[in-house]
Amino acid sequence: MSDRPLTHLGDDGLARMVDVGAKPETERVARARARLRMSPQTARAVEAGDGPKGEVLGVARLAGIQAAKRTEELIPLAHPLPLSFADVSATVDAEAGVVDLVAEARTVARTGVEMEAMTACAVAALTVYDMVKGIERGVAIEQVVLLEKSGGRSGHWRLDEAERD
């Protein structure tokens, strides 16, 4: 826990958007991951691009990119950011029944892109669920986690390897 004051509370105790106008623009990068767990059979269908609604990972990738670009509409105190890059990649471990989605977002701005990367992961994971629910309704989105971020006053931060799994 930080000893810094809470920046999103006004003097009246109400939530507010932070004024970042005086901060310098710097390159900001964030990477996040969503992990889904499903049966090996469903994971094989995801890997093969053979879901009931079509090719799962391509649709999930596009949904994640779109979500990153619309984060400001979904997260009330997030600043609108001009993204210079957003993407989602996937790895499938069919035998373990695990799909990992990793999103990266980049910008040159006065505030970070962590929420954009995490929103991309969350929406991509929900899209995978939607695409395979005809095969298996028990698919679990187990984790959405920030892996690393760089830029700004706080510099580079990376999730400890022991906390990643």
Side-chain angles (χ1 to χ4, degrees):
M1 192 83 158
S2 174
D3 290 333
R4 290 189 291 190
L6 298 175
T7 59
H8 284 75
L9 291 180
D11 293 337
D12 55 6
L14 298 176
R16 63 180 176 90
M17 181 181 268
V18 173
D19 183 353
V20 297
K23 294 170 75 174
E25 287 189 346
T26 62
E27 183 177 31
R28 315 285 184 131
V29 179
R31 290 180 54 248
R33 180 188 66 215
R35 176 165 288 163
L36 295 97
R37 193 162 305 272
M38 60 197 68
S39 71
Q41 174 190 355
T42 302
R44 281 191 289 279
V46 168
E47 187 174 45
D50 191 26
K53 292 184 173 184
E55 201 278 312
V56 176
L57 296 177
V59 174
R61 178 178 167 267
L62 292 176
I65 292 168
Q66 181 177 350
K69 296 189 306 183
R70 300 187 77 168
T71 299
E72 68 186 79
E73 297 173 26
L74 302 169
I75 309 297
L77 300 179
H79 291 81
L81 293 177
L83 295 179
S84 57
F85 178 80
D87 201 7
V88 178
S89 62
T91 57
V92 179
D93 181 341
E95 294 312 307
V98 172
V99 175
D100 280 336
L101 303 165
V102 176
E104 181 173 326
R106 294 184 217 146
T107 190
V108 174
R110 292 181 166 96
T111 190
V113 289
E114 296 93 331
M115 296 310 302
E116 286 71 13
M118 293 178 74
T119 299
C121 279
V123 171
L126 289 166
T127 301
V128 169
Y129 180 88
D130 181 57
M131 298 287 289
V132 301
K133 68 186 178 192
I135 301 172
E136 179 182 351
R137 294 224 181 248
V139 172
I141 300 171
E142 293 187 341
Q143 183 184 63
V144 175
V145 62
L146 182 66
L147 297 175
E148 67 181 304
K149 57 83 61 192
S150 63
R153 183 183 64 206
S154 61
H156 188 257
W157 176 89
R158 180 175 294 177
L159 182 66
D160 183 278
E161 287 294 324
E163 298 175 38
R164 286 187 178 213
D165 294 324

